[in-house]
Structures are given as C-alpha cells and as structure tokens.
Amino acid sequence: MTDLFNMLATYLHDVFVIKFDGWVILGFVAQGFFTMRFVVQWIASERARKSVIPVAFWFFSIGGGILLLVYALYRRDPVFIAGQAFGLLVYFRNLYFIIVTGRQSSAKE
C-alpha cells in the first residue's frame, strides 16, 4: 500500500509541479472559459425556469476553444486539435446565426 501511495505521490508531483509551466497555465485558463460557459447557461436557465443558451455561452465557448486549440497545437495532440477545431466551427456558426437573426431562438421558445 505504501508503494502505491508513493507511486501516486510521484506521479502527481511530476504532473502538477515538475511539468507546470506557462502552457499548463494557458490550459487551465482555457478550461476556466469552458467552465464559465456552463455556469452562465445554468444561471440563465434557472432564471428563465427553462433551458436557455445565452450569447455569453458562445463567447466563452470561442474563448476556451481558441485557447485549448493553441494548447493542443503546442502539445501536438491530433485528437485534441481535431476536436477543438471542429468545436470552434460550431461555436462561430451559432454566433453567426445569432448575429444574423438578431436574437436567440432557444431563449424565445
């Protein structure tokens, strides 16, 4: 059991201390954007007493998506790169629809 604890402590020290750099900070900031988009959506839905996706959700999605794409490009992770690049297309497209129509349909239902 002590060996397992030591292995876990060594792993966590390596991941969160030794490998901690500016890129990890960027990754945490990007993840913070994604967390905030859900907080914004949750608060808006609670206030409306129905499911609502506010415009701020898409701005946080774009901010987090761009930062995570930069992070993924630096880490050279093809799965992460493809996922974030596709997500950005969806986020920008939704924001485009909101701008063109001048309103958000899910908020009006």
Side-chain angles (χ1 to χ4, degrees), residues 47-91:
R47 287 181 178 165
R49 312 274 302 152
K50 64 181 180 177
S51 182
V52 175
I53 300 176
V55 176
F57 178 91
W58 300 112
F59 282 109
F60 278 116
S61 297
I62 289 168
I66 288 171
L67 292 175
L68 283 174
L69 179 59
V70 169
Y71 181 76
L73 289 167
Y74 173 76
R75 296 289 184 188
R76 298 175 184 252
D77 185 325
V79 174
F80 205 7
I81 292 167
Q84 291 306 316
F86 177 74
L88 281 169
L89 293 174
V90 174
Y91 309 147

Side-chain angles (χ1 to χ4, degrees), residues 29-38 40-41 53-68 84 87-88 90-100 104:
V29 169
Q31 194 59 50
F33 272 81
F34 275 101
T35 300
M36 284 308 301
R37 72 187 189 148
F38 289 115
V40 165
Q41 191 273 332
I53 300 176
V55 176
F57 178 91
W58 300 112
F59 282 109
F60 278 116
S61 297
I62 289 168
I66 288 171
L67 292 175
L68 283 174
Q84 291 306 316
L88 281 169
V90 174
Y91 309 147
F92 276 112
R93 187 71 173 156
N94 276 288
L95 195 56
Y96 168 79
F97 286 140
I98 292 167
I99 291 168
V100 167
Q104 179 116 8

